Tab-separated table of all heavy atoms in Angstrom:
chain	number	residue	atom	x	y	z
P	77	ASP	N	-7.670	30.277	5.452
P	77	ASP	CA	-7.193	31.590	5.048
P	77	ASP	C	-8.152	32.657	5.623
P	77	ASP	O	-8.577	33.548	4.926
P	77	ASP	CB	-7.159	31.645	3.531
P	77	ASP	CG	-6.709	33.019	3.013
P	77	ASP	OD1	-5.774	33.567	3.592
P	77	ASP	OD2	-7.302	33.473	2.006
P	78	LEU	N	-8.386	32.570	6.887
P	78	LEU	CA	-9.365	33.474	7.536
P	78	LEU	C	-9.316	33.216	9.024
P	78	LEU	O	-9.414	32.083	9.453
P	78	LEU	CB	-10.763	33.354	6.992
P	78	LEU	CG	-11.823	34.273	7.545
P	78	LEU	CD1	-11.603	35.689	7.053
P	78	LEU	CD2	-13.231	33.840	7.160
P	79	GLY	N	-9.179	34.250	9.850
P	79	GLY	CA	-9.380	34.111	11.259
P	79	GLY	C	-8.114	33.987	12.078
P	79	GLY	O	-7.878	34.794	12.995
P	80	ILE	N	-7.289	32.991	11.812
P	80	ILE	CA	-6.051	32.828	12.582
P	80	ILE	C	-4.882	33.027	11.643
P	80	ILE	O	-5.002	32.919	10.396
P	80	ILE	CB	-5.965	31.478	13.336
P	80	ILE	CG1	-5.783	30.298	12.371
P	80	ILE	CG2	-7.191	31.325	14.243
P	80	ILE	CD1	-5.446	29.019	13.100
P	81	ALA	N	-3.699	33.289	12.210
P	81	ALA	CA	-2.569	33.673	11.408
P	81	ALA	C	-1.378	32.724	11.578
P	81	ALA	O	-1.171	32.176	12.651
P	81	ALA	CB	-2.110	35.091	11.795
P	82	ILE	N	-0.600	32.651	10.491
P	82	ILE	CA	0.703	31.994	10.541
P	82	ILE	C	1.702	33.115	10.266
P	82	ILE	O	1.613	33.803	9.242
P	82	ILE	CB	0.810	30.901	9.480
P	82	ILE	CG1	-0.379	29.949	9.533
P	82	ILE	CG2	2.114	30.138	9.648
P	82	ILE	CD1	-0.442	28.974	8.385
P	83	LYS	N	2.687	33.229	11.115
P	83	LYS	CA	3.651	34.303	10.987
P	83	LYS	C	4.324	34.291	9.586
P	83	LYS	O	4.824	33.236	9.122
P	83	LYS	CB	4.739	34.190	12.041
P	83	LYS	CG	5.791	35.281	12.009
P	83	LYS	CD	6.817	35.102	13.115
P	83	LYS	CE	7.869	36.195	13.061
P	83	LYS	NZ	8.876	36.022	14.153
P	84	GLY	N	4.210	35.406	8.887
P	84	GLY	CA	4.910	35.539	7.622
P	84	GLY	C	4.161	34.993	6.396
P	84	GLY	O	4.636	35.144	5.279
P	85	VAL	N	2.971	34.375	6.615
P	85	VAL	CA	2.201	33.812	5.521
P	85	VAL	C	1.090	34.770	5.139
P	85	VAL	O	0.323	35.185	6.014
P	85	VAL	CB	1.636	32.437	5.901
P	85	VAL	CG1	0.692	31.916	4.845
P	85	VAL	CG2	2.738	31.436	6.167
P	86	PRO	N	0.936	35.119	3.868
P	86	PRO	CA	-0.188	36.006	3.466
P	86	PRO	C	-1.544	35.488	3.890
P	86	PRO	O	-1.877	34.311	3.682
P	86	PRO	CB	-0.026	36.125	1.962
P	86	PRO	CG	1.413	35.725	1.675
P	86	PRO	CD	1.744	34.714	2.727
P	87	THR	N	-2.350	36.355	4.482
P	87	THR	CA	-3.755	36.020	4.787
P	87	THR	C	-4.621	36.897	3.872
P	87	THR	O	-4.524	38.127	3.905
P	87	THR	CB	-4.067	36.304	6.254
P	87	THR	OG1	-3.270	35.494	7.079
P	87	THR	CG2	-5.511	35.994	6.535
P	88	HIS	N	-5.466	36.283	3.082
P	88	HIS	CA	-6.298	36.979	2.099
P	88	HIS	C	-7.743	37.120	2.554
P	88	HIS	O	-8.415	38.035	2.087
P	88	HIS	CB	-6.304	36.202	0.800
P	88	HIS	CG	-4.913	35.945	0.218
P	88	HIS	ND1	-4.264	36.841	-0.584
P	88	HIS	CD2	-4.106	34.912	0.383
P	88	HIS	CE1	-3.073	36.339	-0.909
P	88	HIS	NE2	-2.967	35.175	-0.313
P	89	GLY	N	-8.237	36.199	3.383
P	89	GLY	CA	-9.633	36.233	3.749
P	89	GLY	C	-10.558	36.072	2.546
P	89	GLY	O	-11.680	36.577	2.554
P	90	GLY	N	-10.081	35.368	1.515
P	90	GLY	CA	-10.882	35.195	0.290
P	90	GLY	C	-11.173	36.474	-0.474
P	90	GLY	O	-12.082	36.505	-1.296
P	91	SER	N	-10.371	37.479	-0.262
P	91	SER	CA	-10.669	38.829	-0.801
P	91	SER	C	-9.557	39.325	-1.743
P	91	SER	O	-8.376	38.894	-1.637
P	91	SER	CB	-10.855	39.820	0.340
P	91	SER	OG	-11.180	41.083	-0.165
P	92	ARG	N	-9.902	40.270	-2.583
P	92	ARG	CA	-8.927	40.955	-3.414
P	92	ARG	C	-8.321	42.144	-2.718
P	92	ARG	O	-7.436	42.807	-3.309
P	92	ARG	CB	-9.589	41.402	-4.748
P	92	ARG	CG	-10.015	40.195	-5.632
P	92	ARG	CD	-10.855	40.664	-6.828
P	92	ARG	NE	-12.152	41.178	-6.392
P	92	ARG	CZ	-13.114	41.574	-7.208
P	92	ARG	NH1	-12.906	41.522	-8.519
P	92	ARG	NH2	-14.269	42.019	-6.764
P	93	ILE	N	-8.728	42.460	-1.515
P	93	ILE	CA	-8.004	43.452	-0.700
P	93	ILE	C	-6.598	42.942	-0.544
P	93	ILE	O	-6.385	41.755	-0.297
P	93	ILE	CB	-8.688	43.643	0.673
P	93	ILE	CG1	-10.117	44.141	0.491
P	93	ILE	CG2	-7.937	44.614	1.548
P	93	ILE	CD1	-10.933	44.134	1.800
P	94	PRO	N	-5.591	43.841	-0.612
P	94	PRO	CA	-4.211	43.345	-0.426
P	94	PRO	C	-4.060	42.497	0.838
P	94	PRO	O	-4.535	42.852	1.900
P	94	PRO	CB	-3.403	44.629	-0.356
P	94	PRO	CG	-4.182	45.592	-1.186
P	94	PRO	CD	-5.638	45.251	-0.911
P	95	ALA	N	-3.353	41.366	0.682
P	95	ALA	CA	-3.167	40.452	1.803
P	95	ALA	C	-2.345	41.085	2.895
P	95	ALA	O	-1.588	42.053	2.660
P	95	ALA	CB	-2.482	39.180	1.316
P	96	TRP	N	-2.475	40.574	4.117
P	96	TRP	CA	-1.651	41.097	5.214
P	96	TRP	C	-0.785	39.939	5.759
P	96	TRP	O	-1.100	38.757	5.624
P	96	TRP	CB	-2.518	41.694	6.331
P	96	TRP	CG	-3.487	40.745	7.006
P	96	TRP	CD1	-4.667	40.318	6.584
P	96	TRP	CD2	-3.266	40.121	8.295
P	96	TRP	NE1	-5.274	39.462	7.464
P	96	TRP	CE2	-4.398	39.304	8.532
P	96	TRP	CE3	-2.245	40.120	9.203
P	96	TRP	CZ2	-4.541	38.548	9.665
P	96	TRP	CZ3	-2.378	39.340	10.380
P	96	TRP	CH2	-3.533	38.594	10.596
P	97	LEU	N	0.346	40.348	6.291
P	97	LEU	CA	1.293	39.417	6.874
P	97	LEU	C	1.341	39.597	8.382
P	97	LEU	O	1.693	40.713	8.828
P	97	LEU	CB	2.702	39.602	6.264
P	97	LEU	CG	2.896	39.321	4.819
P	97	LEU	CD1	4.296	39.632	4.391
P	97	LEU	CD2	2.569	37.873	4.461
P	98	ALA	N	1.010	38.563	9.127
P	98	ALA	CA	1.085	38.671	10.565
P	98	ALA	C	2.557	38.529	10.992
P	98	ALA	O	3.322	37.791	10.406
P	98	ALA	CB	0.242	37.577	11.204
P	99	ASP	N	2.925	39.295	12.057
P	99	ASP	CA	4.266	39.173	12.558
P	99	ASP	C	4.354	38.211	13.736
P	99	ASP	O	5.406	38.038	14.335
P	99	ASP	CB	4.828	40.522	12.959
P	99	ASP	CG	3.949	41.283	13.974
P	99	ASP	OD1	2.976	40.686	14.456
P	99	ASP	OD2	4.232	42.451	14.278
P	100	VAL	N	3.225	37.563	14.088
P	100	VAL	CA	3.197	36.533	15.122
P	100	VAL	C	2.244	35.441	14.686
P	100	VAL	O	1.341	35.660	13.875
P	100	VAL	CB	2.767	37.087	16.497
P	100	VAL	CG1	3.732	38.094	17.032
P	100	VAL	CG2	1.347	37.686	16.408
P	101	ASN	N	2.385	34.280	15.246
P	101	ASN	CA	1.359	33.221	15.132
P	101	ASN	C	0.173	33.522	16.044
P	101	ASN	O	0.345	34.119	17.132
P	101	ASN	CB	1.916	31.862	15.528
P	101	ASN	CG	2.849	31.256	14.495
P	101	ASN	OD1	2.782	31.595	13.303
P	101	ASN	ND2	3.662	30.328	14.930
P	102	SER	N	-0.986	33.090	15.627
P	102	SER	CA	-2.119	33.026	16.568
P	102	SER	C	-1.787	31.941	17.631
P	102	SER	O	-1.057	31.004	17.383
P	102	SER	CB	-3.421	32.664	15.831
P	102	SER	OG	-3.816	33.670	15.008
P	103	VAL	N	-2.376	32.093	18.824
P	103	VAL	CA	-2.226	31.104	19.882
P	103	VAL	C	-2.667	29.742	19.341
P	103	VAL	O	-1.961	28.732	19.608
P	103	VAL	CB	-3.081	31.517	21.118
P	103	VAL	CG1	-3.172	30.348	22.074
P	103	VAL	CG2	-2.430	32.704	21.777
Side-chain angles (χ1 to χ4, degrees):
D77 179 41
L78 182 69
I80 70 170
I82 310 170
K83 182 179 179 180
V85 174
T87 299
H88 306 273
S91 181
R92 293 171 293 184
I93 299 171
W96 62 280
L97 295 177
D99 56 5
V100 295
N101 284 338
S102 292
V103 167

